[in-house]
Amino acid sequence: MDRSDDFERGVKNRRAVLGDEWVDQSLGGTTQFNADFQDLVTRHAWLDIWGRPGLDVVTRRLLVLGMTMAAARWEEFELHCKATVRAGVPLEKIRETLMQGAIYCGVPAANTAFKITTKILRDEGLLPPPAPLTAGVRAAIHHTFSAPQIRVALQGQGTPVVLSHALGADLHLWDELAATLAERHAVLRYDHRGHGGSATPAGPYTQDDLVDDAARVIREWGRGPVVFVGLSMGGMVAQGLAVRHPQLLRGVLIANSSARYPDEARAAWTQRFAAIANGGLAAIADGTMERWFTPGFRAAQPQVVERTRQTLLRSDATGYVGCGHAVASVDWLDRLGSVTLPTLVIAGAHDAGAPPAMSEAIASRIAGAQLKMLEAAHISVLEQPQAFAQALHEFIDGRCGG
């Protein structure tokens, strides 16, 4: 029988949040002077408050970071921040908490909080890669002059490359690849209509709508012809550009994409739209992550998966469904024979959403197209970033004039 008293139950919560080392130090070092205080804190803070059901533990962790930041209680902030990092709370959530604090607690407080957190991440071996804000490296954010307005990010110099994301993602899907490319290329990323910072006109949309958006982005940039890299929905746009606007392109990379769906797959899209209508994007989020990433990757890189999931959840449901109709009705396959541009097709060996057989069919319809198979599911640029980047570099240097 569990005969734990309130103190022991509070200790259990305290250990779960802060770790054994700190709790052992706090409880083992008490004296007759402060033992009653530690007892009070353990019962009322760690059981009565942390044990309440109204908020999940991650939310409570982030609230404590914001509150200790506002009160400039830096010892408490550091303690809880280290515990939050070690608990595997996504760094994006921690970062956004500190960003929110920059407004409501003040920039000096946020500056101190970022410094403390950066040191913790460095000590834990979790510090993200550099992202300098120097000229030529920093991504500049703009919107198209034409409507519907499309948000774009520009960085780097050299051969122009455009990156086009998947349904339910945004231009940040390409952050790592864009930073790598920007060392030698001018890189433009953009949010599809209904996604990220782009406008969400009334839907549903068509493939031609998405292709026309991409074409005017390229024209407004004024750097064409470009190497166009599209993944999933972006790969459908790459096909459409190659068919309808080849003069804007010097080459296309079509990754994890489809050129036509069988009838049963179109029926599955109808079911997905119904699920969103009833439960929002949360109704499809878990299933989407299961399709997008292999089980091994989900286990090894939970923060990448969670970041991707949160992007999907932040998406505009109207924009998602609007673009989803365009995706479901894709039908470029019979027109790919007209494409004469240098083409690289990337497939995921474990991709259920765009099976390797579909990538093979796309490559077989385009004269001279190359096919590259990666050990990944649907979002190969995240699951195999080095292999994806290497394949793209070799394609640009070898077939697109560098």
Side-chain angles (χ1 to χ4, degrees):
M1 249 179 115
D2 181 9
R3 297 187 180 275
S4 300
D5 63 10
D6 285 353
F7 177 83
E8 291 170 318
R9 293 188 183 97
V11 169
K12 183 178 180 181
N13 287 343
R14 197 172 183 181
R15 290 186 184 280
V17 173
L18 296 180
D20 291 337
E21 181 181 355
W22 180 263
V23 176
D24 288 342
Q25 178 182 332
S26 297
L27 299 184
T30 56
T31 67
Q32 290 183 356
F33 179 72
N34 68 351
D36 286 346
F37 170 71
Q38 286 293 334
D39 179 78
L40 174 75
V41 168
T42 301
R43 285 183 294 108
H44 292 296
W46 290 104
L47 178 61
D48 292 347
I49 298 302
W50 280 88
R52 290 176 64 83
L55 293 173
D56 60 85
V57 173
V58 170
T59 300
R60 291 189 186 279
R61 288 182 183 275
L62 298 176
L63 282 172
V64 170
L65 294 187
M67 292 170 183
T68 54
M69 180 179 170
R73 303 295 188 185
W74 297 118
E75 182 179 356
E76 285 285 308
F77 176 89
E78 183 173 1
L79 168 66
H80 280 273
C81 188
K82 184 180 296 184
T84 299
V85 168
R86 288 179 174 177
V89 175
L91 298 188
E92 290 75 13
K93 290 181 178 290
I94 298 174
R95 181 190 63 206
E96 292 308 311
T97 300
L98 305 191
M99 290 292 289
Q100 195 84 356
I103 300 301
Y104 291 97
C105 305
V107 170
N111 188 48
T112 301
F114 270 106
K115 285 182 178 179
I116 292 172
T117 306
T118 297
K119 182 180 183 303
I120 291 170
L121 294 175
R122 184 180 291 111
D123 292 345
E124 297 291 321
L126 297 173
L127 190 65
L133 295 177
T134 51
V137 178
R138 179 182 70 87
I141 305 297
H142 303 280
H143 285 79
T144 57
F145 293 103
S146 55
Q149 283 198 311
I150 301 297
R151 182 176 71 159
V152 303
L154 304 171
Q155 62 195 115
Q157 296 292 329
T159 305
V161 179
V162 175
L163 307 176
S164 181
H165 65 76
L167 177 67
D170 64 14
L171 58 79
H172 292 295
L173 175 72
W174 305 106
D175 282 352
E176 184 176 340
L177 179 62
T180 300
L181 288 173
E183 297 174 4
R184 295 174 47 200
H185 303 287
V187 183
L188 182 152
R189 296 171 277 156
Y190 73 97
D191 290 332
H192 288 282
R193 62 169 62 198
H195 288 71
S198 291
T200 304
Y205 315 137
T206 66
Q207 280 288 317
D208 283 340
D209 289 332
L210 303 185
V211 171
D212 288 343
D213 287 343
R216 62 190 175 84
V217 164
I218 296 170
R219 291 191 178 104
E220 284 197 22
W221 191 22
R223 295 294 307 275
V226 305
V227 178
F228 193 92
V229 180
L231 187 145
S232 191
M233 178 171 70
M236 298 174 186
V237 174
Q239 296 172 61
L241 283 170
V243 169
R244 294 183 50 218
H245 302 285
Q247 72 280 3
L248 298 177
L249 309 176
R250 63 177 66 200
V252 290
L253 189 158
I254 303 166
N256 305 92
S257 194
S258 297
R260 178 186 292 158
Y261 283 115
D263 290 341
E264 58 269 24
R266 294 176 191 265
W269 278 104
T270 300
Q271 295 173 359
R272 187 183 306 186
F273 299 150
I276 295 170
N278 291 327
L281 291 173
I284 66 164
D286 291 341
T288 299
M289 295 305 104
E290 291 173 4
R291 288 193 307 276
W292 278 10
F293 302 107
T294 61
F297 184 82
R298 296 199 305 273
Q301 298 288 342
Q303 290 196 341
V304 175
V305 176
E306 180 60 19
R307 182 177 68 235
T308 309
R309 183 175 179 274
Q310 289 301 321
T311 300
L312 172 62
L313 291 174
R314 288 194 302 269
S315 298
D316 185 312
T318 299
Y320 182 98
V321 172
C323 285
H325 281 282
V327 170
S329 62
V330 65
D331 196 7
W332 296 116
L333 192 61
D334 293 337
R335 301 175 67 181
L336 294 178
S338 66
V339 176
T340 59
L341 294 161
T343 302
L344 172 63
V345 180
I346 288 182
H350 310 287
D351 191 345
M358 173 50 69
S359 293
E360 293 168 358
I362 292 172
S364 70
R365 298 295 180 100
I366 301 174
Q370 298 174 325
L371 176 63
K372 178 78 172 179
M373 191 76 66
L374 299 183
E375 285 296 316
H378 195 56
I379 308 296
S380 59
V381 71
L382 296 184
E383 192 156 358
Q384 293 289 343
Q386 290 79 24
F388 193 104
Q390 181 179 349
L392 176 56
H393 280 301
E394 292 174 354
F395 176 62
I396 295 174
D397 291 342
R399 302 194 60 196
C400 301

Coordinates of all heavy atoms in Angstrom, one line a residue, residues 263-341:
D263 N -6.8 6.8 -57.1 CA -8.1 7.2 -56.5 C -8.2 7.0 -55.0 O -8.8 7.8 -54.3 CB -9.2 6.4 -57.2 CG -9.4 6.8 -58.7 OD1 -9.0 8.0 -59.0 OD2 -10.0 6.1 -59.5
E264 N -7.6 5.9 -54.5 CA -7.7 5.7 -53.1 C -6.9 6.7 -52.3 O -7.3 7.1 -51.2 CB -7.1 4.3 -52.8 CG -5.7 4.0 -53.2 CD -5.6 3.4 -54.6 OE1 -6.5 3.6 -55.4 OE2 -4.6 2.7 -54.8
A265 N -5.8 7.2 -52.9 CA -5.1 8.3 -52.2 C -5.9 9.6 -52.1 O -5.9 10.3 -51.2 CB -3.8 8.5 -52.8
R266 N -6.6 9.9 -53.2 CA -7.5 11.1 -53.2 C -8.6 11.0 -52.2 O -9.0 12.0 -51.6 CB -8.1 11.3 -54.6 CG -7.0 11.6 -55.7 CD -7.7 11.7 -57.1 NE -6.7 11.7 -58.2 CZ -6.3 12.8 -58.7 NH1 -6.7 14.0 -58.3 NH2 -5.4 12.7 -59.7
A267 N -9.1 9.8 -52.0 CA -10.1 9.5 -51.0 C -9.5 9.8 -49.6 O -10.2 10.3 -48.7 CB -10.7 8.1 -51.1
A268 N -8.3 9.4 -49.4 CA -7.6 9.7 -48.1 C -7.5 11.2 -47.8 O -7.6 11.6 -46.7 CB -6.3 9.0 -48.1
W269 N -7.3 12.0 -48.9 CA -7.2 13.4 -48.7 C -8.6 13.9 -48.2 O -8.7 14.8 -47.4 CB -6.8 14.1 -50.0 CG -5.3 14.1 -50.2 CD1 -4.6 13.3 -51.0 CD2 -4.4 14.9 -49.5 NE1 -3.3 13.5 -50.9 CE2 -3.1 14.6 -50.0 CE3 -4.5 15.9 -48.6 CZ2 -1.9 15.2 -49.6 CZ3 -3.3 16.5 -48.1 CH2 -2.1 16.2 -48.6
T270 N -9.7 13.4 -48.8 CA -11.0 13.8 -48.4 C -11.2 13.6 -46.9 O -11.8 14.4 -46.2 CB -12.1 13.1 -49.2 OG1 -11.9 13.5 -50.6 CG2 -13.5 13.6 -48.8
Q271 N -10.8 12.4 -46.5 CA -10.9 12.0 -45.0 C -10.0 13.0 -44.2 O -10.5 13.4 -43.1 CB -10.4 10.6 -44.8 CG -11.3 9.6 -45.5 CD -10.8 8.2 -45.4 OE1 -9.7 7.9 -44.9 NE2 -11.5 7.2 -46.0
R272 N -8.9 13.4 -44.7 CA -8.0 14.3 -43.9 C -8.7 15.6 -43.7 O -8.7 16.2 -42.7 CB -6.7 14.4 -44.6 CG -5.7 15.2 -43.7 CD -4.3 15.4 -44.4 NE -3.7 14.2 -44.9 CZ -2.5 14.1 -45.4 NH1 -1.8 15.2 -45.6 NH2 -2.0 13.0 -45.8
F273 N -9.3 16.1 -44.8 CA -10.0 17.4 -44.7 C -11.1 17.4 -43.7 O -11.3 18.3 -43.0 CB -10.5 17.9 -46.1 CG -9.4 18.0 -47.1 CD1 -9.7 17.8 -48.5 CD2 -8.1 18.4 -46.8 CE1 -8.7 17.9 -49.4 CE2 -7.1 18.5 -47.8 CZ -7.4 18.3 -49.1
A274 N -11.8 16.2 -43.7 CA -12.9 16.1 -42.8 C -12.4 16.1 -41.3 O -13.0 16.7 -40.4 CB -13.7 14.8 -43.1
A275 N -11.3 15.4 -41.1 CA -10.7 15.4 -39.8 C -10.3 16.8 -39.3 O -10.5 17.1 -38.1 CB -9.5 14.4 -39.7
I276 N -9.7 17.6 -40.2 CA -9.4 18.9 -39.8 C -10.6 19.8 -39.5 O -10.6 20.6 -38.6 CB -8.5 19.6 -41.0 CG1 -7.2 18.8 -41.1 CG2 -8.3 21.0 -40.7 CD1 -6.4 19.2 -42.4
A277 N -11.6 19.6 -40.3 CA -12.9 20.3 -40.1 C -13.5 20.0 -38.7 O -14.0 20.9 -38.0 CB -13.9 20.0 -41.2
N278 N -13.3 18.8 -38.2 CA -13.8 18.4 -36.9 C -12.9 18.7 -35.8 O -13.4 19.1 -34.7 CB -14.1 16.9 -36.9 CG -15.3 16.6 -37.8 OD1 -16.2 17.4 -38.0 ND2 -15.3 15.4 -38.4
G279 N -11.6 18.6 -36.0 CA -10.7 18.7 -34.9 C -9.5 19.6 -35.1 O -8.5 19.6 -34.3
G280 N -9.5 20.4 -36.2 CA -8.3 21.3 -36.4 C -7.1 20.5 -36.8 O -7.2 19.2 -37.0
L281 N -6.0 21.2 -37.0 CA -4.8 20.5 -37.5 C -4.2 19.5 -36.4 O -3.5 18.6 -36.7 CB -3.7 21.5 -37.8 CG -4.1 22.3 -39.1 CD1 -3.1 23.5 -39.3 CD2 -4.1 21.4 -40.3
A282 N -4.6 19.7 -35.1 CA -4.2 18.8 -34.1 C -4.7 17.4 -34.4 O -4.1 16.4 -34.0 CB -4.7 19.2 -32.7
A283 N -5.8 17.3 -35.1 CA -6.3 15.9 -35.4 C -5.4 15.1 -36.4 O -5.5 13.9 -36.4 CB -7.7 16.1 -36.1
I284 N -4.6 15.8 -37.1 CA -3.7 15.1 -38.1 C -2.2 15.2 -37.7 O -1.4 14.6 -38.4 CB -3.9 15.6 -39.5 CG1 -3.4 17.0 -39.6 CG2 -5.4 15.5 -39.9 CD1 -3.2 17.5 -41.1
A285 N -1.9 15.9 -36.6 CA -0.5 16.2 -36.4 C 0.3 14.9 -36.1 O 1.4 14.7 -36.7 CB -0.4 17.2 -35.2
D286 N -0.1 14.1 -35.2 CA 0.6 12.9 -34.9 C 0.8 12.0 -36.1 O 1.9 11.4 -36.3 CB 0.0 12.1 -33.7 CG 0.1 12.9 -32.4 OD1 0.9 13.8 -32.3 OD2 -0.7 12.6 -31.5
G287 N -0.3 11.7 -36.8 CA -0.2 10.9 -38.0 C 0.8 11.5 -39.0 O 1.5 10.7 -39.7
T288 N 0.8 12.8 -39.2 CA 1.7 13.4 -40.1 C 3.1 13.2 -39.8 O 3.9 12.8 -40.6 CB 1.4 14.9 -40.2 OG1 0.0 15.1 -40.7 CG2 2.3 15.6 -41.2
M289 N 3.5 13.3 -38.5 CA 4.8 13.1 -38.1 C 5.2 11.6 -38.3 O 6.4 11.3 -38.6 CB 5.0 13.5 -36.6 CG 4.8 14.9 -36.3 SD 5.9 16.1 -37.2 CE 4.7 16.7 -38.4
E290 N 4.3 10.7 -38.1 CA 4.6 9.3 -38.4 C 4.9 9.0 -39.8 O 5.7 8.2 -40.2 CB 3.5 8.4 -37.9 CG 3.3 8.4 -36.4 CD 2.1 7.7 -35.9 OE1 1.4 7.1 -36.8 OE2 1.8 7.7 -34.7
R291 N 4.2 9.7 -40.7 CA 4.5 9.6 -42.1 C 5.7 10.3 -42.6 O 6.4 9.9 -43.5 CB 3.3 10.1 -43.0 CG 2.0 9.3 -42.9 CD 1.1 9.7 -44.0 NE 0.8 11.2 -44.0 CZ -0.1 11.7 -43.2 NH1 -0.8 11.0 -42.4 NH2 -0.3 13.0 -43.2
W292 N 6.0 11.4 -41.9 CA 7.1 12.3 -42.4 C 8.5 11.8 -41.9 O 9.5 12.0 -42.6 CB 6.9 13.7 -41.8 CG 6.0 14.5 -42.6 CD1 5.2 14.1 -43.7 CD2 5.7 15.9 -42.5 NE1 4.5 15.1 -44.2 CE2 4.8 16.3 -43.5 CE3 6.2 16.9 -41.7 CZ2 4.3 17.6 -43.7 CZ3 5.8 18.2 -41.9 CH2 4.8 18.5 -42.9
F293 N 8.6 11.0 -40.8 CA 9.8 10.6 -40.3 C 9.8 9.1 -39.9 O 8.8 8.6 -39.5 CB 10.2 11.4 -39.0 CG 10.3 12.9 -39.3 CD1 9.3 13.7 -38.8 CD2 11.3 13.4 -40.0 CE1 9.3 15.1 -39.0 CE2 11.4 14.8 -40.2 CZ 10.4 15.6 -39.7
T294 N 11.0 8.4 -40.1 CA 11.1 7.0 -39.7 C 11.0 6.9 -38.2 O 11.4 7.8 -37.5 CB 12.4 6.4 -40.3 OG1 13.5 7.1 -39.7 CG2 12.4 6.5 -41.8
P295 N 10.6 5.7 -37.7 CA 10.6 5.5 -36.3 C 12.0 5.8 -35.6 O 12.0 6.4 -34.5 CB 10.2 4.1 -36.1 CG 9.4 3.8 -37.3 CD 10.1 4.6 -38.4
G296 N 13.0 5.4 -36.3 CA 14.4 5.6 -35.7 C 14.7 7.0 -35.6 O 15.3 7.5 -34.6
F297 N 14.3 7.8 -36.6 CA 14.6 9.3 -36.5 C 13.8 9.9 -35.4 O 14.2 10.8 -34.7 CB 14.4 9.9 -37.9 CG 14.7 11.4 -37.9 CD1 16.0 11.8 -38.1 CD2 13.8 12.3 -37.7 CE1 16.4 13.1 -38.1 CE2 14.1 13.7 -37.7 CZ 15.4 14.1 -37.9
R298 N 12.5 9.5 -35.3 CA 11.6 10.1 -34.3 C 12.2 9.8 -32.9 O 12.1 10.7 -32.0 CB 10.2 9.6 -34.4 CG 9.5 9.9 -35.7 CD 8.0 9.8 -35.6 NE 7.5 8.5 -35.2 CZ 7.3 7.5 -36.0 NH1 7.5 7.6 -37.3 NH2 6.9 6.3 -35.6
A299 N 12.8 8.7 -32.7 CA 13.4 8.3 -31.4 C 14.7 9.1 -31.2 O 14.9 9.5 -30.0 CB 13.6 6.8 -31.3
A300 N 15.5 9.2 -32.2 CA 16.8 9.8 -32.0 C 16.8 11.4 -32.0 O 17.6 12.0 -31.4 CB 17.7 9.3 -33.1
Q301 N 15.8 12.0 -32.7 CA 15.8 13.4 -32.9 C 14.4 14.0 -32.5 O 13.7 14.6 -33.4 CB 16.1 13.8 -34.4 CG 17.5 13.4 -34.8 CD 18.6 14.2 -34.2 OE1 18.3 15.3 -33.7 NE2 19.8 13.7 -34.2
P302 N 14.0 13.8 -31.3 CA 12.6 14.2 -30.9 C 12.4 15.7 -31.0 O 11.3 16.2 -31.3 CB 12.5 13.7 -29.5 CG 13.9 13.5 -29.0 CD 14.7 13.1 -30.2
Q303 N 13.5 16.5 -30.8 CA 13.3 17.9 -30.9 C 13.0 18.4 -32.3 O 12.2 19.3 -32.5 CB 14.5 18.6 -30.3 CG 14.7 18.5 -28.8 CD 15.7 19.4 -28.2 OE1 16.5 20.0 -28.8 NE2 15.5 19.6 -26.9
V304 N 13.7 17.8 -33.3 CA 13.4 18.1 -34.7 C 12.0 17.8 -35.0 O 11.3 18.6 -35.7 CB 14.4 17.4 -35.6 CG1 14.0 17.7 -37.1 CG2 15.8 17.8 -35.3
V305 N 11.5 16.6 -34.6 CA 10.2 16.2 -34.9 C 9.2 17.1 -34.2 O 8.2 17.6 -34.8 CB 10.0 14.7 -34.4 CG1 8.5 14.3 -34.6 CG2 10.9 13.8 -35.2
E306 N 9.4 17.5 -32.9 CA 8.5 18.4 -32.2 C 8.5 19.8 -32.8 O 7.4 20.4 -32.9 CB 8.9 18.5 -30.7 CG 8.0 19.4 -29.9 CD 6.5 18.9 -29.9 OE1 6.2 17.8 -30.2 OE2 5.7 19.8 -29.5
R307 N 9.6 20.3 -33.3 CA 9.7 21.6 -33.9 C 8.8 21.5 -35.2 O 8.1 22.5 -35.5 CB 11.1 22.0 -34.3 CG 11.2 23.3 -34.9 CD 12.7 23.7 -35.2 NE 13.3 22.9 -36.2 CZ 14.4 22.2 -36.0 NH1 15.0 22.2 -34.8 NH2 14.9 21.5 -37.0
T308 N 8.9 20.5 -36.0 CA 8.2 20.3 -37.2 C 6.7 20.2 -36.9 O 5.9 20.8 -37.6 CB 8.7 19.1 -38.0 OG1 10.1 19.1 -38.1 CG2 8.0 19.0 -39.3
R309 N 6.4 19.5 -35.8 CA 5.0 19.3 -35.4 C 4.4 20.7 -35.0 O 3.2 21.0 -35.4 CB 4.9 18.3 -34.3 CG 3.5 18.0 -33.8 CD 3.5 16.9 -32.7 NE 2.2 16.6 -32.2 CZ 1.6 17.2 -31.2 NH1 2.3 18.2 -30.6 NH2 0.4 16.8 -30.8
Q310 N 5.1 21.4 -34.3 CA 4.6 22.7 -33.8 C 4.4 23.7 -35.0 O 3.5 24.5 -35.0 CB 5.6 23.4 -32.8 CG 5.6 22.7 -31.5 CD 4.3 22.7 -30.8 OE1 3.5 23.6 -30.8 NE2 3.9 21.6 -30.1
T311 N 5.3 23.6 -36.0 CA 5.0 24.4 -37.2 C 3.7 24.0 -37.9 O 2.9 24.9 -38.3 CB 6.2 24.2 -38.2 OG1 7.4 24.6 -37.6 CG2 6.0 25.0 -39.5
L312 N 3.4 22.7 -38.0 CA 2.2 22.3 -38.5 C 1.0 22.8 -37.7 O 0.0 23.3 -38.2 CB 2.1 20.8 -38.6 CG 0.8 20.1 -39.0 CD1 0.4 20.5 -40.3 CD2 0.9 18.6 -38.8
L313 N 1.1 22.7 -36.4 CA 0.0 23.2 -35.5 C -0.2 24.7 -35.6 O -1.3 25.1 -35.4 CB 0.3 22.7 -34.1 CG 0.2 21.2 -33.8 CD1 0.7 20.9 -32.4 CD2 -1.1 20.7 -34.0
R314 N 0.8 25.4 -35.9 CA 0.7 26.9 -36.0 C 0.1 27.3 -37.4 O -0.2 28.5 -37.6 CB 2.0 27.6 -35.8 CG 2.5 27.6 -34.4 CD 3.7 28.6 -34.2 NE 4.8 28.3 -35.1 CZ 5.8 27.5 -34.8 NH1 5.9 26.9 -33.6 NH2 6.8 27.3 -35.7
S315 N 0.1 26.4 -38.3 CA -0.4 26.7 -39.6 C -1.9 27.1 -39.6 O -2.6 26.7 -38.7 CB -0.2 25.5 -40.5 OG 1.1 25.1 -40.7
D316 N -2.2 27.9 -40.6 CA -3.6 28.3 -40.8 C -4.4 27.1 -41.4 O -4.0 26.6 -42.5 CB -3.7 29.5 -41.7 CG -5.0 30.1 -41.9 OD1 -6.0 29.3 -42.1 OD2 -5.2 31.3 -41.8
A317 N -5.4 26.6 -40.7 CA -6.1 25.5 -41.2 C -6.7 25.7 -42.6 O -6.8 24.9 -43.5 CB -7.2 25.1 -40.2
T318 N -7.2 27.0 -42.8 CA -7.8 27.4 -44.1 C -6.7 27.3 -45.2 O -7.0 26.7 -46.3 CB -8.4 28.8 -44.1 OG1 -9.4 28.8 -43.1 CG2 -8.9 29.2 -45.4
G319 N -5.5 27.8 -44.9 CA -4.4 27.7 -45.9 C -4.0 26.3 -46.1 O -3.7 25.9 -47.3
Y320 N -3.9 25.5 -45.1 CA -3.5 24.1 -45.2 C -4.5 23.3 -46.1 O -4.1 22.7 -47.1 CB -3.5 23.4 -43.9 CG -3.0 21.9 -43.9 CD1 -1.7 21.6 -43.7 CD2 -3.9 20.9 -44.2 CE1 -1.3 20.3 -43.7 CE2 -3.5 19.6 -44.3 CZ -2.2 19.3 -44.0 OH -1.8 18.0 -44.1
V321 N -5.8 23.5 -45.8 CA -6.8 22.8 -46.7 C -6.8 23.3 -48.1 O -7.0 22.6 -49.0 CB -8.2 22.9 -46.0 CG1 -9.3 22.3 -46.9 CG2 -8.2 22.1 -44.7
G322 N -6.7 24.7 -48.2 CA -6.7 25.3 -49.5 C -5.5 24.7 -50.4 O -5.8 24.3 -51.5
C323 N -4.3 24.6 -49.8 CA -3.2 24.0 -50.5 C -3.4 22.5 -50.7 O -2.9 21.9 -51.6 CB -1.9 24.3 -49.8 SG -1.3 26.0 -50.0
G324 N -4.0 21.9 -49.6 CA -4.2 20.4 -49.7 C -5.1 20.0 -50.9 O -4.8 19.0 -51.5
H325 N -6.0 20.8 -51.3 CA -6.8 20.5 -52.5 C -5.9 20.6 -53.7 O -6.1 19.8 -54.6 CB -8.0 21.5 -52.6 CG -9.1 21.2 -51.7 ND1 -10.1 20.2 -52.0 CD2 -9.5 21.8 -50.6 CE1 -11.0 20.2 -51.1 NE2 -10.7 21.1 -50.2
A326 N -5.0 21.5 -53.8 CA -4.1 21.6 -54.9 C -3.2 20.3 -54.9 O -3.0 19.7 -56.0 CB -3.2 22.8 -54.8
V327 N -2.7 19.9 -53.8 CA -1.9 18.7 -53.7 C -2.7 17.5 -54.1 O -2.2 16.6 -54.9 CB -1.3 18.5 -52.3 CG1 -0.7 17.2 -52.1 CG2 -0.3 19.7 -51.9
A328 N -3.9 17.3 -53.6 CA -4.7 16.1 -53.9 C -5.0 16.0 -55.4 O -5.2 14.9 -55.9 CB -6.0 16.2 -53.1
S329 N -5.1 17.1 -56.1 CA -5.4 17.1 -57.5 C -4.2 17.1 -58.4 O -4.4 17.3 -59.6 CB -6.4 18.3 -57.8 OG -5.7 19.5 -57.6
V330 N -3.0 17.0 -57.9 CA -1.8 17.1 -58.8 C -1.9 16.1 -59.9 O -2.3 15.0 -59.8 CB -0.6 16.9 -57.9 CG1 -0.5 15.4 -57.4 CG2 0.7 17.2 -58.7
D331 N -1.5 16.6 -61.1 CA -1.5 15.7 -62.3 C -0.6 16.2 -63.3 O -1.0 16.6 -64.4 CB -3.0 15.6 -62.8 CG -3.2 14.5 -63.8 OD1 -2.3 13.7 -63.9 OD2 -4.2 14.4 -64.4
W332 N 0.7 16.1 -63.0 CA 1.7 16.6 -64.0 C 2.3 15.4 -64.7 O 3.1 15.6 -65.7 CB 2.9 17.3 -63.2 CG 2.5 18.6 -62.5 CD1 2.5 18.8 -61.2 CD2 2.0 19.8 -63.1 NE1 2.1 20.1 -60.9 CE2 1.8 20.7 -62.1 CE3 1.8 20.1 -64.5 CZ2 1.4 22.0 -62.3 CZ3 1.4 21.4 -64.7 CH2 1.1 22.3 -63.7
L333 N 2.1 14.2 -64.4 CA 2.8 13.0 -64.9 C 2.9 13.0 -66.4 O 4.0 12.8 -67.0 CB 2.2 11.7 -64.3 CG 3.1 10.5 -64.5 CD1 4.4 10.6 -63.8 CD2 2.4 9.2 -64.0
D334 N 1.8 13.1 -67.1 CA 1.7 13.0 -68.5 C 2.4 14.2 -69.2 O 2.6 14.1 -70.5 CB 0.3 12.8 -69.0 CG -0.3 11.4 -68.6 OD1 0.5 10.5 -68.3 OD2 -1.5 11.3 -68.5
R335 N 2.7 15.2 -68.5 CA 3.3 16.4 -69.2 C 4.8 16.5 -68.9 O 5.4 17.4 -69.4 CB 2.5 17.7 -68.6 CG 1.0 17.7 -68.9 CD 0.3 18.9 -68.3 NE 0.7 20.1 -68.9 CZ 0.2 21.3 -68.6 NH1 -0.6 21.4 -67.6 NH2 0.6 22.4 -69.2
L336 N 5.3 15.6 -68.1 CA 6.7 15.7 -67.8 C 7.6 15.4 -69.0 O 8.8 15.7 -69.0 CB 7.0 14.8 -66.6 CG 6.4 15.2 -65.3 CD1 6.8 14.1 -64.2 CD2 6.8 16.6 -64.8
G337 N 7.1 14.7 -70.0 CA 7.9 14.4 -71.1 C 8.4 15.6 -71.9 O 9.3 15.5 -72.7
S338 N 7.7 16.7 -71.6 CA 8.1 18.0 -72.3 C 9.3 18.7 -71.6 O 9.9 19.6 -72.2 CB 7.0 19.0 -72.4 OG 6.6 19.4 -71.1
V339 N 9.7 18.2 -70.5 CA 10.7 18.9 -69.7 C 12.1 18.5 -70.2 O 12.4 17.3 -70.3 CB 10.6 18.5 -68.2 CG1 11.8 19.1 -67.4 CG2 9.3 18.9 -67.6
T340 N 12.9 19.5 -70.5 CA 14.3 19.2 -71.0 C 15.3 19.8 -70.1 O 16.5 19.8 -70.4 CB 14.5 19.8 -72.4 OG1 14.2 21.3 -72.3 CG2 13.5 19.2 -73.4
L341 N 14.9 20.3 -68.9 CA 15.8 20.9 -68.0 C 16.6 19.9 -67.2 O 16.2 18.8 -67.0 CB 15.1 21.8 -66.9 CG 14.3 23.0 -67.4 CD1 13.3 23.4 -66.4 CD2 15.3 24.1 -67.6

